[in-house]
Amino acid sequence: VQAGEGATKAAVRPTHTQVTQTALTIAGYTKVSRQAMNDSAELMQAIDVTLNREIAKALDAALMVGNVTPAFDGLLTLATAHTSLNYSYLWDAASEGVATMLEAGLMPDVVTMSPADWLGVQTARNPTTGDYFSWQYLNPLPEYMRGLRVVVSPNMTAGKLMLLDSKQIDLRINDAFNVEVNYVNDDFIKNQATVLAEMSVIPVFRAVGAARLITPKVA
């Protein structure tokens, strides 16, 4: 608060620590026949179904688990652990984690869960009445839980969830997903070609505590 009209205002100087993060390149290839090359629909199927899926899976594993070269620890390692003392339901433990992050000046807006745990949230019922907790089951399923955007990851630890402040965590696309087709070794005489797909990203983690790994209370 300014002391009075004409008084000097307080200086705010954030403390920064410089870090270096090398771009991560995620790449893979598949072989296709020359006949498939002449069929654009089949070629697109190979790219969309096989390469796109596998690159996405590898990227998810690199971001969540890390353990890659060049080094990135992964969000499961970088996240601050928080065990709920009061709540055994995932959604209640998430709300407790949100409160903890808000107290630290962070604004969580994303929750990451395993596919099985997200299914459990979708189908959870009141044990007394049998009613679904959050919505009618046959209605379109929401992509939000308690106001948090849900991101499902097969690499998320089962029985836990991760809260993220997306303003403090960023994935910069250094080189977007691209595809190249060429002959490798004896591809030409075998009537086939090699399709290579790759992308390059730079994960940015700006603040300690911007990711919280939440463990519900043991019921």
Side-chain angles (χ1 to χ4, degrees):
V1 178
Q2 187 178 7
E5 187 68 25
T8 302
K9 297 175 176 61
V12 178
R13 295 185 177 89
T15 301
H16 296 291
T17 301
Q18 184 175 355
V19 297
T20 300
Q21 175 59 51
T22 307
L24 307 179
T25 298
I26 315 294
Y29 71 88
T30 187
K31 298 284 189 178
V32 295
S33 67
R34 187 177 297 176
Q35 183 178 6
M37 288 285 296
N38 294 329
D39 186 338
S40 59
E42 187 172 343
L43 179 60
M44 289 302 298
Q45 187 83 349
I47 293 172
D48 289 341
V49 175
T50 302
L51 289 175
N52 208 336
R53 178 190 61 200
E54 294 303 316
I55 295 297
K57 286 169 57 179
L59 176 61
D60 184 86
L63 295 177
M64 292 294 291
V65 181
N67 198 22
V68 293
T69 302
F72 179 67
D73 289 335
L75 291 175
L76 287 172
T77 299
L78 293 169
T80 301
H82 176 89
T83 300
S84 175
L85 299 177
N86 303 300
Y87 304 105
S88 56
Y89 286 129
L90 277 173
W91 50 87
D92 289 335
S95 295
E96 181 183 85
V98 167
T100 301
M101 292 181 72
L102 289 173
E103 289 175 353
L106 297 163
M107 298 292 292
D109 56 349
V110 175
V111 57
T112 301
M113 307 175 68
S114 73
D117 285 335
W118 180 228
L119 173 64
V121 171
Q122 293 171 334
T123 58
R125 298 191 187 198
N126 184 314
T128 302
T129 65
D131 296 330
Y132 290 101
F133 274 127
S134 53
W135 58 83
Q136 293 182 359
Y137 186 63
L138 295 181
N139 282 353
L141 296 176
E143 298 177 357
Y144 289 83
M145 184 182 75
R146 293 285 175 89
L148 303 167
R149 180 166 60 88
V150 176
V151 175
V152 176
S153 168
N155 293 289
M156 184 63 209
T157 306
K160 300 185 179 184
L161 55 84
M162 185 185 298
L163 298 173
L164 304 172
D165 181 345
S166 65
K167 294 182 178 63
Q168 303 296 331
I169 300 174
D170 192 12
L171 183 65
R172 300 188 178 184
I173 307 300
N174 188 49
D175 191 7
F177 182 84
N178 64 81
V179 176
E180 295 182 23
V181 181
N182 214 325
Y183 294 116
V184 177
N185 298 325
D186 57 356
D187 282 352
F188 181 76
I189 61 175
K190 289 183 176 180
N191 286 333
Q192 63 182 13
T194 298
V195 183
L196 171 68
E198 68 176 77
M199 68 182 303
S200 177
V201 301
I202 302 176
V204 180
F205 194 89
R206 294 190 179 91
V208 175
R212 300 289 174 111
L213 184 61
I214 309 299
T215 302
K217 177 184 176 182
V218 178

